[in-house]
């Protein structure tokens, strides 16, 4: 190595490694993933089917009664253009209904990428693969809540 121009030759010779996303499916043909949101955790299994979604042994329409939550859950399928092609079986615990729906959306998105890595770019662009890091702030001593102070009185 006599001068810096030889460094450019070394960089050109180094192969560019792209991350390879492989298909991860179990013996029954299901893809498994875990989704999280706030304090809710969803364990999700996705397999080819008719679009049936079962949450904790109940149908999705009875578990998530609000249409907004069901719309949130179906967003990954709409983005990947595969509505009604996959059956979802999941167990959800922790948090409230909104957090559980967000965890389920995250889990479905991850399971779809494990089932078919070709769906990953569209789900990634939609922001469904990013775990939302916002959680409840802890209570501090000397405060009523996380930030709420005692009432101030001048006299």
């Amino acid at each position: 190595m006599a001068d810096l121009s030889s460094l450019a030759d070394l960089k050109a010779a180094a192969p560019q490694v792209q991350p390879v996303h492989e298909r991860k499916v179990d013996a029954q043909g299901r893809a498994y993933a875990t989704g999280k949101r706030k304090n809710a955790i969803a364990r999700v299994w996705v397999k080819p089917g008719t679009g049936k979604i079962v949450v904790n042994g109940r149908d999705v329409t009875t578990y998530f009664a609000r249409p907004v939550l069901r719309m949130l859950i179906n967003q990954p399928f709409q983005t990947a253009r595969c509505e009604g092609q996959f059956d979802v079986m999941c167990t959800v615990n922790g948090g409230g209904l909104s957090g559980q729906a967000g965890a389920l959306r995250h889990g479905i998105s991850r399971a779809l990428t494990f089932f078919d890595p070709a769906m990953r770019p569209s789900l990634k662009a939609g922001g469904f693969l990013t775990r939302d890091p916002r959680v409840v702030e802890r209570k501090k001593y000397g405060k009523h809540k996380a930030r709420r102070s005692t009432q101030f009185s001048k006299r």
Side-chain angles (χ1 to χ4, degrees):
M1 202 159 70
D3 57 352
L4 293 177
S5 62
S6 59
L7 283 177
D9 297 335
L10 286 174
K11 186 175 180 182
Q16 298 296 324
V17 179
Q18 292 291 329
V20 178
H21 300 287
E22 297 178 0
R23 188 168 191 244
K24 298 177 186 169
V25 180
D26 64 2
Q28 286 88 21
R30 302 175 302 182
Y32 170 78
T34 305
K36 295 181 181 182
R37 170 82 169 92
K38 292 186 178 178
N39 281 338
I41 300 173
R43 299 165 55 210
V44 181
W45 289 268
V46 171
K47 66 177 181 178
T50 59
K52 185 179 178 186
I53 300 176
V54 178
V55 183
N56 290 351
R58 291 190 277 175
D59 190 46
V60 70
T61 55
T62 58
Y63 194 87
F64 294 109
R66 290 189 301 197
V68 174
L69 298 179
R70 291 197 300 271
M71 180 203 69
L72 195 76
I73 292 167
N74 287 321
Q75 281 178 341
F77 296 117
Q78 294 167 353
T79 304
R81 294 187 183 89
C82 59
E83 296 114 320
Q85 296 179 15
F86 291 97
D87 287 344
V88 177
M89 203 285 287
C90 65
T91 58
V92 186
N93 59 0
L97 282 179
S98 178
Q100 288 181 353
L104 185 53
R105 180 179 85 161
H106 185 228
I108 288 172
S109 303
R110 291 185 64 195
L112 285 175
T113 59
F114 292 149
F115 189 85
D116 185 10
M119 295 182 188
R120 185 176 172 84
S122 61
L123 292 171
K124 184 81 170 165
F128 300 128
L129 297 177
T130 306
R131 197 260 198 238
D132 192 350
R134 296 176 294 175
V135 292
V136 178
E137 189 174 347
R138 78 183 258 313
K139 182 195 177 299
K140 282 81 171 183
Y141 61 89
K143 302 273 187 181
H144 286 302
K145 292 165 61 174
R147 298 186 179 190
R148 171 81 169 100
S149 299
T150 56
Q151 186 173 1
F152 174 74
S153 175
K154 196 167 188 177
R155 293 182 183 79

